[in-house]
Amino acid sequence: MYINDINLSPLVVSEPSESYKSGETVNRWVEVLVNCPGSTGLFTYRLPAQLEIKPGDILSVPFGAQQLGAIAIRLLAQPNIDLPPEKIREVEDIVSVGFFPSAYWELLNRVAAYYYTPLIQVIRIALPPGLLGRSQRRIRLVRGEGAGDRGQGVGGREQGAGSRGQRVGGDSYLLASVDPLAFLTPTARQVWELLQGQPAGDYSFIYLQQKVKSAYRGIRELLRFGLVESYLEPPRLTRPKLQKAVTLTNTIDRELTTRQREILEVLRRRGGELWQNELLQICNASPSILKTLAQKGYIVIEEREVLRTEQGPALVGDGAKFLTTAQASALETIQTLNGFAQVLLHGVTGSGKTEVYLQAITPLLNQGKSALVLVPEIGLTPQLTDRFRARFGNKVSVYHSALSDGERYDTWRQMLAGEPQVIIGTRSAVFAPLPNLGLIILDEEHDSSFKQDSPIPTYHARTVAQWRAELENCPLVLGSATPSLETWVSVRRQGAGGRGQGAGGRSYYLSLPERINSRPLPPVEIVDMRLELQQGNRSIFSRSLQTALEELQERKQQGILFIHRRGHSTFVSCRSCGYVLECPHCDVSLAYHHTEEKAPELLRCHYCNYARSHPKFCPDCSSPYLKFFGSGTQRVTQELARQFPELRLIRFDSDTTRNKGSHRTLLTRFANGEADLLVGTQMLTKGLDLPQVTLVGVVAADGLLNLSDYRASERAFQTLTQVAGRAGRGEDPGRVIVQTYTTEHQVIAAVRSHDYQSFSQAELEQRQALNYPPYGRLILLRLSSLDPIQVQNTAQVIATALSTEEEFEILGPAPASILRVANRYRWQILIKFALDALPRLPDWEEVRSLCPSSVSLTIDVDPLNIM
């Protein structure tokens, strides 16, 4: 039984010590959301008498022939009137006690409603992976006294049973017998023998059903006699990691051997407690000697849970820094906020925004409150985490997708404990279940990584963070040197330099216009590559950049080189016929990736990861003249090695940072002076603080400027300004060199003068004229299918159905800018409407019903990427 159109806002959900009774009527049913693809409604189950279930608990429930994870939503005194009670199945067991305050449920419900996503899908991304996984019913032999096994094999003798009746479980009695199988049916005997043949005497219910016909009858019989027991094995991730610990309990006695006394002395010197594997390693001993000491009562060996959390390096403690006048003013404003408010901390690169965050959080922890700090990229978390841990110690945890599933699960449980703590994470951490939340910070709030394109819900962490701050009644601080135009307009609407009653509460604009210690912003030199070519320079490096790199080497300073794309070359083309090697599954060219010297030349698709070796001859005309065009990070590093052989390089892109911990490793090597130049892509632009960098070079700015997206100019300005801001953050002055073929572009002019104000004003005028965000709203419908005709026809049918509405504008249907990706053909429909006059939007279930099963539909609300 299920109910559509769920609205859970008025629900009473789990609160501490809350009674789930209505008068004298005990709740005997529960409505749950089941983690099954395609099921979006509430299902009703009966509550077993022995289970005390509360809303928010993770349950295991029978669903068809499966045992699935589900989340308890609300308890009922009576089931739905249309549902026959005998058809209601019973909850199997509780997998995890999940307590969420009412504000958290309201947040999940709001995300589901705003982004047109089933609530269970929102819950999936809010919970750590695997928590809603499938549980497994298992059957195992009952061993030991009182069980039919009695420690003997099949047909073994019972110990001391005589002719008396022996109580073994439930309400049944097992009569003594020389052969416990004598009274069993053939089916039960088969099951028994299968279990006996397994060393642990333990099999899953499903396996037994596969091996024995009508196994459930035999299992029921064995359960009745107490010969076996049935238990629920929770999803793998929800099991705590256990490790043996050794504790000293007695003084060292003379009767012990010298070796035993040595081990106890080591334990005593280490505080009387150590992990067993650590103690064995220190003493070079075997577990048997510890077992002997435990038997003599000198130590206790017990299993304890080990939290799987990311461990950072040991750090020297760090105290609060002296603040500039602007920093002190911003901090004072943030600390005086009481309740929800939205703050834009607009500080130029290197102005000390992180120190303001740290000092704003300090009093909150002392008050028993927690803080949530969101960053756009995993690559930022090691550096930021180290600064926070140096200040707050073990109160800081990280939460992002690069952690192992076990680490994410244990960190999630640690949050639920309610201790004051700081969580640093990427966009999914906006759902971190921190009780008593005192502050939310979005660092680099302008970054597009805060928006999820797929899978659904296509949420923006900034939007969700604003809702969460409202529900938790705490301030939200948005920090950036280049704020998104949406935030800029929202906060500044009431006038610069103060606060305003914007949408959803108070809003503040706080400015940090200068760098720490009044260090100047680095001068930006724009190099026209057209002139370089006219003057005979065919290198990918301008003469100005070449000179700067040579000086870098001489002065023993460090630099950063930004390239728009990874890989070696952006495409491979035949110089005889013009043929371009393309991906067979996508409508894009293959990029050349150089692996290592003398290795096969590899061509790779950046969309579906298809790879092939580089052909010796053109597939179209058989010409041997195939040429690499364009420059990625690999090509640039090769060219650098050729022109500047003494220059030590580190490449920093998604190819070199795939492994866990690689972000930290590469940045630590660079910070320790093991390289002169850091060569990388967008990752370099996102808030890295490297004081020793004096030179920043942008190899080709044009790749950012010429994109068919209304946000292209804004993204280009943000990226170039941010990467320029990596220079000159230390004692030595910085220098920025930007190479481009379009020096007259308005973005290039604004970057040269670090002028956010003039850029935003010009860009906002264009947006307002076209009714694009932040002055209008967009919803993008993305359709894809393996069948090119079917997806095109479906897009046309949906566009026709939507065109009956007059309150919004329909753009499309149109093919996506890259029509085919991974053999799926993609079409789009863009809905545009006014910001303040929300239209009567269509019934999305009706829209989805127009899609055949072979066509996938994604509804992207407030899309950032419409290409």
Side-chain angles (χ1 to χ4, degrees):
M1 149 67 191
Y2 64 90
I3 305 164
N4 285 323
D5 302 324
I6 307 168
N7 182 4
L8 301 178
S9 305
L11 293 185
V12 177
V13 294
S14 177
E15 295 285 3
S17 307
E18 186 171 345
S19 172
Y20 290 91
K21 295 186 179 182
S22 177
E24 296 301 314
T25 308
V26 178
N27 293 308
R28 296 187 54 207
W29 290 270
V30 63
E31 285 185 325
V32 306
L33 280 167
V34 179
N35 185 29
C36 180
S39 85
T40 58
L42 289 175
F43 291 79
T44 303
Y45 285 84
R46 183 181 286 107
L47 293 177
Q50 74 275 14
L51 293 183
E52 189 177 335
I53 293 173
K54 294 179 181 177
D57 287 351
I58 309 296
L59 310 175
S60 180
V61 297
F63 195 79
Q66 307 176 82
Q67 203 74 34
L68 298 182
I71 188 159
I73 297 297
R74 54 185 164 198
L75 298 160
L76 305 172
Q78 292 292 330
N80 189 291
I81 195 167
D82 299 327
L83 198 61
E86 66 274 8
K87 290 194 175 180
I88 300 177
R89 301 172 78 177
E90 200 169 73
V91 171
E92 186 73 37
D93 208 342
I94 300 174
V95 173
S96 175
V97 176
F99 162 66
F100 298 115
S102 56
Y104 193 85
W105 279 116
E106 171 64 21
L107 177 73
L108 299 183
N109 201 48
R110 195 179 289 191
V111 172
Y114 186 81
Y115 292 104
Y116 306 111
T117 304
L119 182 60
I120 188 66
Q121 193 73 28
V122 180
I123 291 171
R124 281 184 196 131
I125 63 159
L127 296 179
L131 198 65
L132 280 176
R134 299 185 182 194
S135 303
Q136 187 172 229
R137 176 60 57 186
R138 298 186 71 86
I139 309 297
R140 66 183 165 206
L141 292 172
V142 175
R143 309 257 190 201
E145 272 306 311
D149 172 42
R150 299 295 184 275
Q152 302 290 334
V154 178
R157 295 187 59 83
E158 297 185 58
Q159 303 297 314
S163 59
R164 293 176 293 111
Q166 176 82 24
R167 183 69 175 260
V168 292
D171 296 320
S172 304
Y173 286 83
L174 173 63
L175 297 176
S177 168
V178 173
D179 182 0
L181 300 188
F183 49 82
L184 296 179
T185 62
T187 304
R189 187 180 289 112
Q190 277 183 274
V191 174
W192 169 271
E193 288 170 348
L194 261 177
L195 290 168
Q196 285 283 0
Q198 211 260 4
D202 187 322
Y203 273 125
S204 71
F205 185 79
I206 292 171
Y207 178 79
L208 292 171
Q209 280 185 308
Q210 291 170 347
K211 292 295 181 183
V212 180
K213 189 177 180 181
S214 302
Y216 68 94
R217 290 177 182 165
I219 292 167
R220 197 185 314 160
E221 189 178 336
L222 293 169
L223 285 168
R224 192 168 65 248
F225 286 122
L227 293 169
V228 300
E229 62 183 358
S230 167
Y231 71 97
L232 189 75
E233 182 184 58
R236 189 173 303 277
L237 288 178
T238 62
R239 301 175 212 164
K241 181 183 178 183
L242 300 176
Q243 196 169 307
K244 286 183 178 178
V246 182
T247 308
L248 185 66
T249 59
N250 210 336
T251 54
I252 300 171
D253 201 307
R254 289 180 182 176
E255 68 182 39
L256 296 172
T257 66
T258 306
R259 185 75 175 122
Q260 289 171 338
R261 281 201 297 272
E262 284 174 4
I263 291 170
L264 293 179
E265 182 60 29
V266 167
L267 197 56
R268 185 187 64 78
R269 287 201 307 267
R270 294 298 185 99
E273 216 170 56
L274 271 177
W275 294 114
Q276 177 175 292
N277 56 2
E278 191 179 346
L279 179 61
L280 293 175
Q281 194 172 3
I282 293 169
C283 301
N284 195 22
S286 66
S288 59
I289 194 167
L290 296 184
K291 191 176 180 182
T292 304
L293 286 169
Q295 287 169 348
K296 290 183 176 182
Y298 288 95
I299 60 172
V300 171
I301 303 172
E302 59 184 352
E303 285 197 327
R304 293 186 193 167
E305 182 178 355
V306 184
L307 283 176
R308 293 161 290 197
T309 54
E310 187 195 57
Q311 299 300 315
L315 299 165
V316 179
D318 175 41
K321 304 284 191 299
F322 180 77
L323 299 182
T324 64
T325 305
Q327 282 178 306
S329 175
L331 178 63
E332 184 183 359
T333 302
I334 293 168
Q335 289 183 332
T336 55
L337 296 176
N338 185 20
F340 170 66
Q342 182 172 283
V343 177
L344 171 58
L345 184 61
H346 184 193
V348 298
T349 53
S351 59
K353 294 184 287 294
T354 304
E355 185 62 30
V356 174
Y357 302 155
L358 289 164
Q359 295 197 29
I361 290 170
T362 301
L364 294 176
L365 295 175
N366 297 332
Q367 295 164 25
K369 295 182 178 180
S370 294
L372 177 60
V373 181
L374 301 179
V375 295
E377 288 275 357
I378 292 166
L380 277 182
T381 51
Q383 199 174 31
L384 197 70
T385 303
D386 288 351
R387 281 199 66 181
F388 272 74
R389 280 188 174 143
R391 189 72 57 92
F392 303 125
N394 59 7
K395 290 183 178 179
V396 177
S397 298
V398 296
Y399 192 74
H400 52 65
S401 58
L403 299 178
S404 71
D405 289 347
E407 286 172 337
R408 288 181 74 183
Y409 172 65
D410 283 358
T411 305
W412 183 82
R413 283 195 305 139
Q414 202 175 343
M415 294 182 222
L416 287 174
E419 293 294 318
Q421 55 194 298
V422 180
I423 297 295
I424 301 175
T426 47
R427 65 171 176 255
S428 60
V430 74
F431 297 104
L434 283 167
N436 207 12
L437 193 55
L439 180 66
I440 302 175
I441 295 168
L442 254 82
D443 193 29
E444 310 296 339
E445 67 83 28
H446 64 275
D447 200 283
S448 59
S449 299
F450 282 124
K451 178 73 163 71
Q452 175 150 306
D453 289 330
S454 67
I456 58 172
T458 57
Y459 69 97
H460 197 302
R462 184 179 59 232
T463 305
V464 179
Q466 183 179 331
W467 295 337
R468 184 148 194 207
E470 286 178 24
L471 293 166
E472 302 277 0
N473 199 30
C474 72
L476 168 66
V477 176
L478 306 171
S480 178
T482 53
S484 65
L485 294 178
E486 283 85 350
T487 298
W488 179 256
V489 169
S490 169
V491 174
R492 299 274 297 191
R493 189 168 282 159
Q494 302 298 321
R499 70 175 190 179
Q501 290 292 334
R506 297 169 295 165
S507 58
Y508 295 78
Y509 174 77
L510 306 176
S511 177
L512 303 178
E514 291 185 352
R515 284 184 157 186
I516 299 295
N517 299 328
S518 299
R519 294 188 185 112
L521 287 167
V524 179
E525 178 187 344
I526 307 298
V527 178
D528 190 337
M529 294 303 285
R530 294 170 296 191
L531 293 177
E532 292 287 316
L533 201 59
Q534 287 172 17
Q535 292 165 9
N537 179 19
R538 298 190 177 278
S539 167
I540 56 176
F541 306 121
S542 63
R543 288 165 300 175
S544 180
L545 185 55
Q546 289 177 34
T547 304
L549 290 170
E550 288 166 359
E551 290 174 354
L552 193 72
Q553 212 168 345
E554 292 166 7
R555 295 172 182 172
K556 301 195 182 306
Q557 294 174 333
Q558 289 184 307
I560 283 177
L561 218 52
F562 171 75
I563 297 95
H564 179 48
R565 290 179 61 116
R566 62 192 173 96
H568 181 282
S569 303
T570 51
F571 67 97
V572 181
S573 175
C574 174
R575 285 187 290 179
S576 296
C577 69
Y579 179 84
V580 175
L581 274 75
E582 293 189 340
C583 173
H585 312 300
C586 311
D587 290 337
V588 293
S589 58
L590 293 172
Y592 168 49
H593 282 245
H594 177 78
T595 49
E596 58 187 49
E597 290 303 320
K598 298 183 180 177
E601 294 176 328
L602 194 67
L603 304 180
R604 186 178 295 280
C605 174
H606 284 183
Y607 284 82
C608 73
N609 219 28
Y610 165 83
R612 62 157 293 174
S613 59
H614 181 261
K616 291 183 178 179
F617 303 99
C618 172
D620 198 42
C621 73
S622 301
S623 165
Y625 303 113
L626 292 169
K627 180 174 170 56
F628 299 130
F629 288 88
S631 301
T633 47
Q634 286 185 328
R635 166 98 184 277
V636 171
T637 51
Q638 280 185 356
E639 196 64 23
L640 282 166
R642 188 181 66 80
Q643 288 194 41
F644 307 96
E646 301 301 316
L647 214 57
R648 297 168 301 163
L649 311 172
I650 289 178
R651 188 157 61 92
F652 192 69
D653 58 25
S654 57
D655 287 333
T656 61
T657 56
R658 292 185 190 279
N659 298 329
K660 186 176 179 180
S662 52
H663 293 91
R664 180 188 292 280
T665 303
L666 294 177
L667 289 175
T668 302
R669 283 178 53 204
F670 187 70
N672 291 341
E674 294 179 30
D676 307 305
L677 200 60
L678 196 61
V679 182
T681 52
Q682 300 276 4
M683 292 180 185
L684 297 175
T685 70
K686 300 175 189 287
L688 295 179
D689 187 21
L690 302 164
Q692 63 274 37
V693 170
T694 58
L695 171 68
V696 166
V698 178
V699 172
D702 305 273
L704 297 167
L705 300 172
N706 304 312
L707 297 173
S708 57
D709 186 344
Y710 76 96
R711 290 182 183 271
S713 291
E714 181 184 4
R715 283 204 193 99
F717 176 80
Q718 289 166 343
T719 300
L720 294 173
T721 302
Q722 290 285 344
V723 76
R726 301 313 108 203
R729 297 167 79 98
E731 296 300 323
D732 297 325
R735 178 186 181 189
V736 180
I737 298 172
V738 178
Q739 299 182 169
T740 177
Y741 287 90
T742 50
T743 54
E744 63 280 1
H745 200 288
Q746 64 164 8
V747 168
I748 299 297
V751 169
R752 173 186 276 152
S753 54
H754 301 278
D755 190 354
Y756 178 85
Q757 299 270 1
S758 67
F759 167 76
S760 60
Q761 185 176 344
E763 183 68 14
L764 285 170
E765 285 174 5
Q766 294 181 29
R767 298 273 188 96
Q768 193 165 22
L770 297 169
N771 199 30
Y772 273 108
Y775 298 106
R777 278 190 61 199
L778 301 175
I779 296 176
L780 182 66
L781 307 186
R782 293 192 179 96
L783 296 100
S784 72
S785 174
L786 294 170
D787 186 333
I789 304 301
Q790 193 163 40
V791 69
Q792 182 178 353
N793 290 343
T794 304
Q796 190 60 60
V797 167
I798 291 175
T800 303
L802 295 175
S803 62
T804 56
E805 298 289 342
E806 296 180 357
E807 297 179 63
F808 48 79
E809 183 183 353
I810 303 289
L811 302 178
S817 59
I818 300 174
L819 175 61
R820 187 172 55 114
V821 171
N823 276 336
R824 294 189 69 86
Y825 294 85
R826 311 182 309 151
W827 280 70
Q828 298 180 165
I829 302 169
L830 191 64
I831 301 173
K832 188 161 70 164
F833 50 93
L835 184 67
D836 299 322
L838 288 177
R840 187 170 59 83
L841 292 174
D843 183 330
W844 293 112
E845 290 309 314
E846 284 184 23
V847 173
R848 283 195 175 97
S849 70
L850 299 174
C851 286
S853 57
S854 60
V855 177
S856 158
L857 170 65
T858 299
I859 301 168
D860 190 353
V861 180
D862 303 330
L864 289 189
N865 178 18
I866 60 172
M867 292 178 66

